[in-house]
Amino acid sequence: MQLIRTSDEEKINVLEGNPYFSDLNPEIIAEVKAGMRLYRYEKSEAVFWEGDESPGLHMIRQGSVKLFKISPQGRELVIKVLDKGATFNEVPVFDHQPNPVNVTTVEDSEIWVIEPDLLRRCIAQYPELAQSVIHNLCVNLRMLLGTVEELSFYQVTNRLARLIRKLPAEQLQGSKEGRLTQDDLAARLGTVREVVARSLKELERSGAIDVDRGQIRVVDKERLVDWT
């Protein structure tokens, strides 16, 4: 992790483009920017760990990160992969509790961090910021409910088909370094590699995809949609 020097103008532009702060008046923006810092992370570097004290609200300037949990048996479950412009780690900032997940970078990344104590003071002082926080937490809650629905109502093959439809081609067919492995897919689906392998075979037998040397190619989009 490396601290990057930035200007006040850049901080203001970032805040005005973020859903938490975009509708706030300049007075609040000016106060929040005083607690902003920008950090550079290398690929696969830890941003923070579950159970540690929250370092603050995070906003991705460039790159991407994965939010994940580790089971007692050591299996990784990816909660979400977030890209440029996304905000994360809101919950411990606002409930004063430790980080609920682990976060590492997927690629070289630059991430803004806003001090948690500063945000808590601003929320107590400015009701409009509190309203914005409530709205965005509700958006996140709906996203998590959608994840629970998928885990509860869809089999792994159906969830895998849905995931394949969403992923960019370079993560399915690109170079070995940038392509998702079966272990990566399993982590995103909350299952294990062996189950993903069987599901890929099932999708391949149906004519929806073709799998060759670790590369996944969609050959019939309509059949793939039928699985979702």
Side-chain angles (χ1 to χ4, degrees):
M1 180 178 71
Q2 178 185 0
L3 179 66
I4 304 174
R5 296 186 64 178
T6 56
S7 66
D8 286 347
E9 182 180 2
E10 183 176 7
K11 293 178 181 180
I12 291 172
N13 289 336
V14 170
L15 291 172
E16 290 179 343
N18 184 275
Y20 278 102
F21 310 102
S22 57
D23 295 328
L24 303 180
N25 65 53
E27 179 185 2
I28 305 175
I29 295 291
E31 192 165 344
V32 173
K33 76 175 175 60
M36 290 180 66
R37 301 290 184 273
L38 181 63
Y39 296 95
R40 180 181 291 116
Y41 296 85
E42 296 182 356
K43 179 181 178 181
S44 301
E45 184 175 354
V47 179
F48 55 75
W49 297 110
E50 179 180 358
D52 289 346
E53 182 178 353
S54 171
L57 184 68
H58 291 61
M59 300 179 291
I60 303 175
R61 182 195 198 191
Q62 66 179 42
S64 56
V65 303
K66 66 176 179 179
L67 285 61
F68 63 99
K69 303 275 285 187
I70 300 293
S71 75
Q73 294 75 34
R75 182 161 60 89
E76 180 180 292
L77 169 61
V78 176
I79 307 298
K80 192 76 172 177
V81 175
L82 300 174
D83 300 309
K84 178 180 177 180
T87 304
F88 62 96
N89 209 41
E90 296 94 332
V91 172
V93 172
F94 303 131
D95 72 0
H96 299 244
Q97 298 297 312
N99 299 322
V101 295
N102 307 289
V103 177
T104 59
T105 54
V106 177
E107 56 188 314
D108 291 348
S109 302
E110 293 180 0
I111 303 173
W112 293 98
V113 182
I114 305 178
E115 298 171 3
D117 290 340
L118 172 65
L119 285 173
R120 292 164 188 156
R121 290 197 304 270
C122 288
I123 289 172
Q125 185 175 355
Y126 302 109
E128 56 266 51
L129 177 55
Q131 291 173 0
S132 178
V133 167
I134 291 170
H135 171 77
N136 285 283
L137 287 176
C138 289
V139 171
N140 291 341
L141 177 59
R142 288 183 180 276
M143 181 272 291
L144 289 173
L145 288 174
T147 300
V148 171
E149 179 182 10
E150 283 207 357
L151 290 171
S152 302
F153 299 145
Y154 293 90
Q155 296 182 346
V156 172
T157 305
N158 305 109
R159 303 202 323 262
L160 178 59
R162 292 161 71 96
L163 178 60
I164 289 173
R165 287 185 60 203
K166 297 176 183 177
L167 291 173
E170 57 267 22
Q171 292 188 2
L172 297 172
Q173 311 168 25
S175 64
K176 185 174 181 180
E177 183 175 311
R179 190 171 68 237
L180 294 178
T181 66
Q182 291 187 14
D183 284 323
D184 294 329
L185 294 173
R188 295 197 184 196
L189 296 172
T191 184
V192 294
R193 182 185 182 279
E194 292 75 15
V195 176
V196 166
R198 290 197 295 269
S199 294
L200 285 171
K201 288 292 185 183
E202 192 170 1
L203 292 174
E204 191 172 27
R205 284 195 297 268
S206 75
I209 65 171
D210 176 68
V211 182
D212 182 35
R213 297 181 181 180
Q215 296 186 326
I216 302 171
R217 183 172 61 91
V218 177
V219 296
D220 192 324
K221 292 183 178 179
E222 292 186 0
R223 290 191 181 183
L224 188 63
V225 168
D226 288 341
W227 280 98
T228 64

